[in-house]
Amino acid sequence: MKPVIHLIVAARPNFMKIAPLYHKLKQLNLFDIVFVHTGQHYDINMSASFLNDLSLPKPDINLGIGSGTHAEQTGYVMISYEKVLIENPPDWIVVAGDVNSTLACTVTAKKLNLKVAHLEAGLRSYDRTMPEEINRIVTDTLADVLWTPSEDADVNLRNEGIENSRIIRVGNMMIDSFEFLRNIIENQNTREHLGLHPKKYGIITLHRPSNVDSCYTLCPIISAITELAEKTKLVFPIHPRTQRMASKYDLLAKLQKNDNIVLVEPLRYVEFMNLVIQSQFVITDSGGIQEETTYLNIPCMTLRKNTERPITCSQGTNRLVNYDDLNICHEEILKGKWPHGRKPDLWDGKTATRVVNSLESLIA
Ligand code: UD1
C-alpha cells in the first residue's frame, strides 16, 4: 500500500502553494494523495477559478466551513477534520501558509499524534495583532517538519528554540506556480480587456483587517488612492471583505465613479498575474504579492507597518509605506529611482522537487 498524504487548501493564497506539490506527487505516483479543501474560501472567484487555473481537481474532501469569526472558523475546521482523520488517518498531512485552517488542521492532527509538515514555515511579522502571526507561531510550534522559503525564516525558527532537524529550507513554492503557468499568464488579454496600457498603470489589492476593517484606516487609504488616480490609472480587484467595508463606510460609490480607477471583482490567478507582469507598480497589503513583485522586479508599495517577508525589502523591490507616502513613491518610480531587486536564493521554480525529495526521505 502506498503512503497516504493529505494536502490541505483553504483560502485563496493556499492554492498556488499546494498546486505544484500536487502535480509533482501525482507524477511520481509513490503516494496516495487526498486533496482536502476546508471551504474557508468558497466563492467561485476566490476558490474554484484558482483550482481550474492551476489544473487542480475537485477536492476529494470539502469540509465546507465557510465564513465566520476566528473561533468559529477554527472550531468548525477542527470538528470536521477530526472526524476525517479518525476515520482514515493519513501518514502525513501537508498544510500551507498562515490562514485559520492551517492552524486548525495542524492542532487537530497533532492531538491525534499524526505527522504534519508546514510549507512556508518560519515567517514572522513579530506583530501578534495579526491573526496570521498567531496561526504561524502555533503551526510552527507543533508541526513535525518546517519547510521554509528563505534564510530569515530559518533564523526565526532557531531563535524560538526549534531544533535544526525540523527545519528544511526548500524555497518559495509561489514561484513554481508562476513558472508552471507563465505561458498561459503571458497570453491572457486581461490588460487589453480592461483598456490599460503596458507599464502605464498600477494595481491595488487590500484585504488586511488592520487596513480595511475600520473607517479610521480605510477612509484615508481610499482618499490617498483617489489622489494618486489623478496622476495615473489604477486597477483595483476588490476583495469581498474590502468591498463590504467600503460599502459600509460609503466609499464604494466614490471608487466606482472615478474614471481612473478600474474597480473589478477578484480576478482569476492567471488574469491577475497577466496584469502584474505588465504593471508599473503594485500597492498591496497581501503577503504573496510582495513575493511575486520581487520575483518579477516590479516596484511594490506595501501598506503595512511590518512584513513577515523582510527579504522582499532587503533583496527585492518591496517597501513598507504609509498611505500618505504613495504620491512621493510614485514619483520615485516615474523617475526610475525605485530600487531594483534580485531574486532570493531558491526562488527558482524548483521548490516542489525539493519538497517531494524531503517527503520521500521522511517516509523512507
Ligand atoms: C483570509 C486569511 C488571510 C489571507 C486571505 C486571502 C485568515 C485569518 N485570513 O482572509 O490570511 O491573506 O484569506 O484572501 O485565515 N468572503 C467571501 N467569499 C469567500 C471568502 C470570504 O465573500 O469566498 C468574505 C466573507 O464574508 C468573510 C470575508 O470575506 O467574512 C473575509 O473572509 P475570511 O476567510 O474570514 O478572511 P480573509 O479576509 O479572506
Side-chain angles (χ1 to χ4, degrees):
M1 235 171 61
K2 289 189 245 172
V4 179
I5 300 182
H6 279 195
L7 297 182
I8 312 277
V9 294
R12 189 166 61 173
N14 295 150
F15 304 118
M16 298 80 103
K17 291 166 199 164
I18 290 295
L21 181 55
Y22 175 89
H23 294 303
K24 213 23 110 200
L25 288 171
K26 275 282 171 194
Q27 211 180 346
L28 274 178
N29 202 22
L30 295 172
F31 306 98
D32 266 338
I33 308 301
V34 180
F35 184 40
V36 182
H37 193 333
T38 68
Q40 181 173 340
H41 282 178
Y42 44 84
D43 281 356
I44 289 175
N45 54 10
M46 298 294 281
S47 175
S49 77
F50 281 75
L51 297 183
N52 257 333
D53 279 358
L54 293 156
S55 304
L56 286 167
K58 193 165 169 272
D60 300 301
I61 297 172
N62 194 328
L63 304 178
I65 61 122
S67 297
T69 65
H70 287 275
E72 282 168 349
Q73 272 185 338
T74 309
Y76 290 148
V77 173
M78 290 180 72
I79 293 164
S80 316
Y81 192 47
E82 186 183 53
K83 292 191 182 113
V84 172
L85 291 180
I86 290 172
E87 208 166 306
N88 283 310
D91 295 282
W92 276 88
I93 294 149
V94 176
V95 296
D98 55 16
V99 302
N100 286 339
S101 303
T102 311
L103 169 143
C105 291
T106 304
V107 174
T108 311
K110 290 314 300 170
K111 290 252 180 173
L112 292 170
N113 260 322
L114 296 169
K115 297 277 188 198
V116 176
H118 182 208
L119 181 63
E120 199 189 81
L123 298 186
R124 295 290 181 272
S125 64
Y126 294 99
D127 173 1
R128 291 193 181 192
T129 64
M130 260 184 107
E132 292 82 356
E133 185 73 354
I134 312 275
N135 296 342
R136 293 178 197 120
I137 293 169
V138 176
T139 303
D140 287 342
T141 303
L142 295 177
D144 300 273
V145 171
L146 302 170
W147 288 319
T148 62
S150 46
E151 194 188 352
D152 54 296
D154 298 15
V155 173
N156 292 335
L157 293 171
R158 276 191 232 112
N159 288 345
E160 288 173 17
I162 288 173
E163 317 82 282
N164 266 326
S165 57
R166 282 166 63 204
I167 307 171
I168 302 172
R169 194 174 330 149
V170 293
N172 190 331
M173 194 71 96
M174 300 274 286
I175 307 308
D176 286 41
S177 270
F178 176 78
E179 288 302 339
F180 174 62
L181 290 173
R182 184 190 274 272
N183 281 338
I184 296 174
I185 289 168
E186 286 173 352
N187 287 315
Q188 296 292 302
N189 58 5
T190 321
R191 178 191 57 72
E192 293 94 318
H193 182 71
L194 294 176
L196 301 162
H197 299 286
K199 296 289 168 193
K200 296 276 187 238
Y201 63 93
I203 303 174
I204 301 176
T205 82
L206 287 175
H207 75 282
R208 293 269 158 227
S210 58
N211 278 332
V212 308
D213 277 7
S214 142
C215 186
Y216 179 72
T217 45
L218 188 59
C219 295
I221 290 176
I222 299 294
S223 294
I225 288 171
T226 315
E227 200 183 319
L228 184 61
E230 285 167 24
K231 297 197 292 179
T232 182
K233 200 102 179 166
L234 299 172
V235 53
F236 188 177
I238 192 162
H239 185 281
R241 173 193 286 277
T242 312
Q243 170 145 15
R244 202 153 31 88
M245 292 300 164
S247 171
K248 178 174 168 188
Y249 301 128
D250 288 329
L251 299 164
L252 202 57
K254 186 173 169 182
L255 290 169
Q256 282 162 339
K257 271 190 245 146
N258 193 314
D259 286 341
N260 261 353
I261 299 178
V262 184
L263 194 67
V264 290
E265 291 279 303
L267 295 166
R268 285 168 40 206
Y269 175 70
V270 292
E271 291 173 332
F272 182 72
M273 291 312 297
N274 176 268
L275 284 185
V276 172
I277 56 176
Q278 302 176 83
S279 68
Q280 189 178 46
F281 62 89
V282 177
I283 299 170
T284 191
D285 60 10
S286 142
I289 297 170
Q290 296 174 53
E291 297 178 341
E292 286 157 341
T293 46
T294 274
Y295 183 69
L296 296 165
N297 200 17
I298 289 171
C300 181
M301 299 171 232
T302 295
L303 279 172
R304 286 176 48 186
K305 291 194 169 58
N306 47 56
T307 177
E308 61 290 329
R309 293 159 162 92
I311 200 166
T312 60
C313 296
S314 57
Q315 297 187 14
T317 54
N318 186 27
R319 297 293 170 268
L320 301 182
V321 304
N322 197 358
Y323 54 79
D324 48 20
D325 300 326
L326 293 181
N327 263 303
I328 289 185
C329 289
H330 180 239
E331 274 164 31
E332 278 183 39
I333 291 166
L334 287 182
K335 287 181 196 152
K337 285 191 180 162
W338 198 264
H340 287 273
R342 72 170 183 86
K343 290 176 189 161
D345 290 343
L346 303 185
W347 293 26
D348 56 0
K350 296 181 184 135
T351 294
T353 304
R354 287 184 286 268
V355 169
V356 168
N357 291 342
S358 161
L359 259 178
E360 282 187 272
S361 61
L362 290 169
I363 283 173

